[in-house]
Amino acid sequence: EGKLLEFTTASRMPLAGKSFLMVFYGFTVFFMAETLRERTSSIIDIEPLLACVLASVLATNITTHRDEYQAMLDMVLPRANIVFFTLAGASLAINTLVDTYWLAMMLFVVRLCALWIGTQVGGYMASLPQDHSRIRWMAFVTQAGVAMGLARQVSLIFPTWGPSFASMVISVVVLNEMLGPPLFRYSLVRTGEAKAFEPSDGPELKSVIADK
């Protein structure tokens, strides 16, 4: 799929056509993975989500058409996110979540602690500024796509306990999505990578937009 994406981004096809082919490649990967799983009685079991992630990494970092690939993603993502997150929300079993909310909260806290420990150790080994290491974990809290997709896959493959597991994972992801973006913004401002919003920025920003 990575080579197909490279060929597609390099072609002179209109952007809409390239975006359609990218979505088609993704569906093809899922179809082929499911077909191989059924034909080989799960002997050959390819995880399509991880395969697509790997193809995206190759298309972004190896090809010389990164900007074109980003434009394709910008066209597809808003529509794909609507379908994806609607499906994820519909698969969230509220009755199961009520029984397992304590476990979801525990996993949420454990993940935050693991992020803090990991960034502290990584910052120390890389000799990074200590004031940055204290808040670096905040930039990694946000979590969504792959985790939710894998949880959905688990619920389909293991119908006995999969739905309960998926509901718990999705609830943890929702907590991360609620807390992650504000923490990410805070960490950028504290490290000087972004400017804190000031009321005076509003009219100036409107003026810049109007000039364009």
Side-chain angles (χ1 to χ4, degrees), residues 156-171:
L156 295 176
I157 297 173
F158 304 100
T160 53
W161 56 270
S164 300
F165 175 82
S167 296
M168 182 184 63
V169 170
I170 292 174
S171 63

Side-chain angles (χ1 to χ4, degrees), residues 45-93:
D45 192 358
I46 300 174
E47 176 50 57
L49 279 174
L50 297 181
C52 290
V53 169
L54 179 59
S56 181
V57 170
L58 295 175
T60 303
N61 295 281
I62 295 180
T63 69
T64 58
H65 304 279
R66 181 172 183 170
D67 293 338
E68 186 72 10
Y69 180 59
Q70 185 62 51
M72 292 160 58
L73 290 176
D74 291 340
M75 176 173 287
V76 171
L77 274 179
R79 300 162 181 82
N81 283 338
I82 292 175
V83 177
F84 178 78
F85 285 102
T86 299
L87 179 61
S91 64
L92 183 62

Side-chain angles (χ1 to χ4, degrees), residues 25-35 47-49 52 153:
Y25 297 153
F27 277 111
T28 302
V29 170
F30 275 79
F31 176 76
M32 292 177 60
E34 186 64 26
T35 301
E47 176 50 57
L49 279 174
C52 290
Q153 286 290 98

Side-chain angles (χ1 to χ4, degrees), residues 4 25 39 58 63 103 129 146 165 168 174 182 185 198 207:
L4 287 175
Y25 297 153
R39 296 287 179 86
L58 295 175
T63 69
L103 184 57
V146 175
F165 175 82
M168 182 184 63
V174 169
R185 172 66 180 174
E198 299 177 0
S207 176

Side-chain angles (χ1 to χ4, degrees), residues 64-151:
T64 58
H65 304 279
R66 181 172 183 170
D67 293 338
E68 186 72 10
Y69 180 59
Q70 185 62 51
M72 292 160 58
L73 290 176
D74 291 340
M75 176 173 287
V76 171
L77 274 179
R79 300 162 181 82
N81 283 338
I82 292 175
V83 177
F84 178 78
F85 285 102
T86 299
L87 179 61
S91 64
L92 183 62
I94 301 297
N95 57 337
T96 303
L97 184 58
V98 171
D99 297 331
T100 60
Y101 76 93
W102 60 272
L103 184 57
M105 290 296 298
M106 184 175 68
L107 289 176
F108 174 69
V109 174
V110 167
R111 181 174 181 269
L112 293 183
C113 293
L115 287 174
W116 184 83
I117 294 173
T119 52
Q120 287 289 319
V121 173
Y124 174 78
M125 295 179 64
S127 301
L128 297 177
Q130 187 60 30
D131 55 339
H132 287 189
S133 295
R134 283 195 295 266
I135 60 175
R136 188 173 289 109
W137 64 274
M138 298 179 182
F140 302 101
V141 174
T142 305
Q143 175 192 32
V146 175
M148 297 181 75
L150 290 176

